[in-house]
Amino acid sequence: MKLHEYQSKQIFSRYGIPIPKGRVATTAGEARHIADELGGRVVIKSQVLVGGRGKAGGIRVAKDADEAEQLAAQILAMEIKGLPVRKILVDEAAAIDQEIYLGITNDRAAKAPVIIASAAGGIDIEEVAKTNPEKIIRVHINPLVGIKDYQTRDIAAGIDLPREYWKSFNEILKGLWECYDSNDATLAEINPLIISHDKRLVALDGKMLIDDNALFRHPDLSEMRDTDEDAPSEVEARKYGLTFIKLDGNIGCMVNGAGLAMASMDILKYFGGEPANFLDIGGGAGAEKVVAALRIILADPNVKAILLNIFGGITRCDEVARGILTAIAEVKPKIPMVVRLVGTNAEEGRQILANASLITAETLADAAKKAVAAARGD
Ligand code: GDP
Ligand code: MN
């Protein structure tokens, strides 16, 4: 789950990371009001869940409350990379001497979190990573030990940070690690971390990604979710506790178990098909979940065939079969559906489905071949 800049910065500040004074607004009038409170000179920042807002014109500095109102109105009328701007952050404007990049993410190859830092932060950091990779420093963290002072000093020296900022940098980096670790983040990023004209380090931008699978233990973070940028089908699936990811292919997949769902997609691809989604209905899924799942799959106009691959364990095939019948009665699909049921109560399941017009298959390979053929219209 992505957090907005204003949400990330609020969390940062709880971990002692300095952020500019500011508040969120949804109208130009409110923006003017906030600018007045902050003394006039403010920066108006679109809050959309994509990067590169600055380059897209979604970050503008205003010299007084009048201009703040004007710019706020302009930005609130914008769409950035397809996302409408519904909220803006009005922050006290900063005078910038230097922009530093500082982030923590998960390095899958190293199986460890990694700190990434660069003296050349700001909106061109991706370009720096490509053209001057030596300007980017990486230091791995042992999560059991956390960050040690010698590491923050190494990084400060590595980015040529003047000595007077080392103490503050040490606190910020440790705060960022706490923030990353205790919120189960997969990214905690400050870009830019600035050296201000009045000689302070301040987090001017903030970005956090939270591991969806850890959200159950962070109800406060779950509440921050903005579903604006999610595919509507994914939002719907979440309501029913289904793990659903929309993809670009034309074969809808309904499978129980994440591993089996991955295997089903692999096999579809092996036989020349393209899955339209990843969908794990979960263990012990009853009829209600199956109905919701089928409705979600069928709402995708690209879907030309459906593969249902159910391996009954805790999930009972007869229960799933009843769900399929209910779903068919409810949504009346006009596309071919290939069903493979094995495991607990598979025989009962097949009997329940005997009169439905479904294509049945014995093995996963057989089911995949039939689904690929059906999607082609063979
Ligand atoms: P992003 O483009 O989505 O990463 O948005 P940022 O919040 O990082 O802003 C982009 C750029 O706008 C920053 O790198 C700064 O150069 C500039 N910027 C942001 N806030 C301020 C500010 O308060 N004062 C000034 N002068 N520039 C700012
Ligand atoms: Mn930024």
Side-chain angles (χ1 to χ4, degrees):
M1 177 180 96
K2 291 181 191 170
L3 293 182
H4 280 294
E5 173 194 1
Y6 75 92
Q7 297 167 326
S8 306
K9 288 198 320 203
Q10 274 164 12
I11 297 173
F12 289 173
S13 84
R14 279 188 234 145
Y15 294 85
I17 299 171
I19 59 166
K21 272 195 208 132
R23 275 200 289 131
V24 172
T26 53
T27 64
E30 270 178 86
R32 162 189 273 284
H33 188 71
I34 299 169
D36 262 332
E37 275 176 19
L38 294 174
R41 251 186 78 81
V42 289
V43 54
I44 309 286
K45 312 188 76 174
S46 53
Q47 299 296 293
V48 281
L49 294 168
V50 289
R53 296 166 303 160
K55 285 188 177 167
I59 309 280
R60 306 278 299 275
V61 178
K63 61 180 182 309
D64 54 30
D66 276 342
E67 197 180 2
E69 183 171 0
Q70 272 172 32
L71 291 176
Q74 278 175 31
I75 291 177
L76 281 165
M78 283 176 72
E79 232 180 49
I80 299 179
K81 298 180 186 170
L83 296 176
V85 179
R86 299 189 212 277
K87 283 184 224 152
I88 47 178
L89 175 63
V90 183
D91 263 359
E92 206 171 49
I96 305 174
D97 276 359
Q98 191 190 331
E99 301 196 19
I100 294 164
Y101 177 95
L102 186 64
I104 302 177
T105 187
N106 196 15
D107 181 347
R108 285 171 184 271
K111 298 179 186 156
V114 62
I115 306 164
I116 302 171
S118 177
I123 57 175
D124 290 319
I125 188 70
E126 281 89 2
E127 200 50 37
V128 175
K130 264 189 234 141
T131 54
N132 295 80
E134 76 287 350
K135 286 198 178 158
I136 295 181
I137 291 176
R138 290 184 172 75
V139 175
H140 289 100
I141 305 169
N142 178 338
L144 299 178
V145 178
I147 298 186
K148 293 286 162 197
D149 287 346
Y150 77 88
Q151 289 177 308
T152 70
R153 282 195 297 267
D154 271 357
I155 295 167
I159 60 171
D160 292 324
L161 187 71
R163 272 282 181 154
E164 55 187 302
Y165 301 108
W166 284 25
K167 182 167 177 290
S168 167
F169 185 76
N170 179 49
E171 284 161 10
I172 289 171
L173 186 45
K174 284 186 173 170
L176 193 63
W177 164 251
E178 277 304 311
C179 176
Y180 175 90
D181 191 40
S182 50
N183 292 297
D184 290 307
T186 54
L187 176 76
E189 181 188 82
I190 309 175
N191 185 34
L193 172 69
I194 61 152
I195 299 182
S196 67
H197 205 58
D198 57 0
K199 307 227 171 292
R200 291 185 309 129
L201 291 179
V202 184
L204 229 54
D205 189 10
K207 181 171 176 184
M208 284 185 75
L209 301 181
I210 309 293
D211 184 346
D212 281 316
N213 291 315
L215 278 175
F216 72 95
R217 53 185 184 195
H218 302 289
D220 53 327
L221 295 177
S222 302
E223 271 177 25
M224 292 184 175
R225 187 189 287 276
D226 180 343
T227 50
D228 267 9
E229 48 109 39
D230 296 349
S233 52
E234 293 180 10
V235 178
E236 178 78 2
R238 212 175 286 130
K239 274 201 289 202
Y240 291 93
L242 301 164
T243 310
F244 177 90
I245 296 163
K246 192 182 159 357
L247 302 167
D248 297 329
N250 61 3
I251 303 174
C253 301
M254 183 160 103
V255 188
N256 65 319
L260 190 61
M262 300 284 266
S264 305
M265 291 162 64
D266 281 350
I267 291 183
L268 280 177
K269 284 210 153 216
Y270 180 79
F271 288 114
E274 282 296 333
N277 64 278
F278 169 94
L279 170 60
D280 171 12
I281 60 170
E288 194 199 348
K289 272 193 173 183
V290 176
V291 173
L294 214 50
R295 211 171 350 98
I296 290 165
I297 294 175
L298 287 166
D300 178 352
N302 292 336
V303 172
K304 297 288 179 273
I306 295 180
L307 169 66
L308 294 112
N309 184 22
I310 304 299
F311 189 92
I314 300 168
T315 307
R316 286 166 30 216
C317 291
D318 58 321
E319 182 79 22
V320 172
R322 259 180 236 112
I324 294 171
L325 280 191
T326 314
I328 290 175
E330 199 180 293
V331 286
K332 301 186 180 59
K334 292 178 186 60
I335 56 170
M337 303 191 0
V338 181
V339 184
R340 175 194 177 232
L341 291 176
V342 284
T344 310
N345 295 0
E347 197 41 52
E348 289 90 325
R350 283 189 210 113
Q351 275 166 19
I352 291 168
L353 294 177
N355 295 324
S357 48
L358 299 166
I359 305 166
T360 54
E362 287 296 317
T363 65
L364 178 48
D366 184 31
K369 278 188 221 164
K370 285 176 172 163
V372 172
R376 278 206 201 106
D378 295 354

